[in-house]
Amino acid sequence: DMKGVLNSITEQLRNNRLPDYPQHLQNAYAALVNNDVDPSLAQELVRSVHMTLSREQMNNKQIVETCLLEAISRLVGTPAQGKLRRRKTKVIALVGPTGVGKTTTIAKLAAIHKLLHKQSVALISTDTYRIGAIEQLRTFAAIADMPMDVVYRPSEMAQALRKFRDKDVVFLDTVGRSQRSKKDIADLNRFVEAADADEVHLVLSASTGAKAALDIVNQFKVVKPNRILFSKLDEAVTLGPLLSVLQKHRLPLGYVTTGQTVPDDIMAVEPSRFASIVYSGVGAHA
């Protein structure tokens, strides 16, 4: 009985944040908050729907949810094509904190570019700190028949890239760094700058809390990421906190990963599909 009373009070407090909105809008707000979307962001999304639709439309659940999903989709963004480069080879770097799955994600992306896009691919690892990291990538490179090099210092990066100048894509695997260590992130940035990467994906685990995720993105700004990649969606209970990251930092979401299988458990993000997963809470573990 006490639990029921508390749930009722909580629901009232949530709805009291809103003006006298129609029931479908209040239900939409409750669904967002139940999926751990920040209440202030949930309010903003619901308010945008309220300003867009007529009173009659707001009495239609399907119209309300369609409009809401469009509002969420706009937060996801679309990665820009990037500046024109003289060199043939595109360099794609993955950066982020420890344990988010950068090396496994590199393997997935490399396999997709080679097998599906029929591109020539090479790998460079700068992860000389983590035990077994280089061997893990080297084993994959041998199986996938991709050339690989190891760079120990930023000054060696140019030589490694010259070696792969005939390739379509070079993937740069970097060492995981704690966002609390500015020195380590500055060291990481020297490698990324030496590679002059076209794409810098900041990899975040989907199970990271909103506060920690926002702090990670803020501290990794030094590396100048131009995309977000959410890993381990299959391990996250809800995806609502990820919307706060997308709203605050406005970095487009390129890929999400949903498991360990190479190369299957990764997908390029369709904003409408991602919005549906966040709102419904269904599909993240599929």
Side-chain angles (χ1 to χ4, degrees):
D1 289 344
M2 181 63 72
K3 184 177 179 180
V5 170
L6 289 173
N7 286 337
S8 177
I9 292 173
T10 301
E11 194 64 32
Q12 289 179 27
L13 288 172
R14 286 173 177 168
N15 290 335
N16 284 342
R17 289 173 173 266
L18 302 174
D20 185 21
Y21 282 170
Q23 189 62 48
H24 290 314
L25 279 182
Q26 295 195 24
N27 291 344
Y29 173 82
L32 289 169
V33 173
N34 286 338
N35 283 316
D36 291 329
V37 176
D38 182 81
S40 61
L41 176 54
Q43 278 184 272
E44 185 177 323
L45 290 167
V46 170
R47 189 179 299 116
S48 71
V49 174
H50 183 259
M51 294 174 64
T52 302
L53 301 181
S54 67
R55 190 78 184 181
E56 182 180 353
Q57 288 174 317
M58 284 185 286
N59 288 323
N60 185 307
K61 178 182 178 181
Q62 184 174 352
I63 293 177
V64 167
E65 292 188 343
T66 298
C67 188
L68 179 63
L69 292 176
E70 289 174 355
I72 297 173
S73 297
R74 287 192 289 272
L75 293 178
V76 177
T78 303
Q81 292 298 317
K83 55 188 177 183
L84 295 175
R85 309 300 295 261
R86 291 183 180 179
R87 67 187 182 195
K88 168 193 174 184
T89 306
K90 175 184 282 190
V91 178
I92 300 176
L94 268 62
V95 302
T98 58
V100 295
K102 292 186 295 299
T103 302
T104 302
T105 302
I106 286 243
K108 293 174 182 177
L109 289 172
I112 287 171
H113 277 263
K114 179 174 181 177
L115 300 176
L116 297 184
H117 301 327
K118 307 300 181 183
Q119 293 179 311
S120 56
V121 177
L123 308 172
I124 294 177
S125 176
T126 66
D127 191 354
T128 57
Y129 291 82
R130 187 164 54 94
I131 296 175
I134 291 175
E135 287 308 313
Q136 179 185 355
L137 195 62
R138 201 188 300 278
T139 300
F140 166 76
I143 294 171
D145 192 25
M146 297 176 187
M148 175 187 161
D149 202 359
V150 179
V151 170
Y152 292 89
R153 290 178 292 274
S155 59
E156 300 172 356
M157 186 67 72
Q159 181 180 352
L161 289 173
R162 279 196 298 271
K163 187 186 303 183
F164 299 139
R165 61 182 177 271
D166 62 326
K167 302 300 179 185
D168 295 314
V169 187
V170 173
F171 286 97
L172 178 62
D173 188 23
T174 63
V175 61
R177 292 303 194 187
S178 166
Q179 76 272 20
R180 310 311 304 167
S181 175
K182 292 185 178 180
K183 178 184 179 301
D184 285 346
I185 293 180
D187 289 342
L188 167 65
N189 185 49
R190 282 189 275 275
F191 281 97
V192 177
E193 284 189 336
D196 192 19
D198 299 272
E199 296 180 11
V200 181
H201 296 253
L202 176 55
V203 185
L204 293 177
S205 170
S207 57
T208 304
K211 187 174 181 180
L214 289 169
D215 183 51
I216 290 168
V217 179
N218 192 51
Q219 299 301 328
F220 270 84
K221 282 182 178 178
V222 175
V223 192
K224 302 179 184 65
N226 51 27
R227 288 160 172 77
I228 288 277
L229 190 157
F230 290 132
S231 64
K232 305 184 179 183
L233 261 67
D234 54 309
E235 297 180 14
V237 178
T238 59
L239 303 180
L242 305 182
L243 288 186
S244 295
V245 176
L246 298 174
Q247 179 208 29
K248 184 171 179 61
H249 293 284
R250 297 298 179 182
L251 285 171
L253 179 59
Y255 294 91
V256 295
T257 72
T258 56
Q260 295 294 310
T261 305
V262 177
D264 297 332
D265 294 335
I266 189 169
M267 61 182 180
V269 170
E270 296 178 10
S272 59
R273 174 167 164 72
F274 186 77
S276 179
I277 292 173
V278 172
Y279 179 64
S280 66
V282 177
H285 308 149

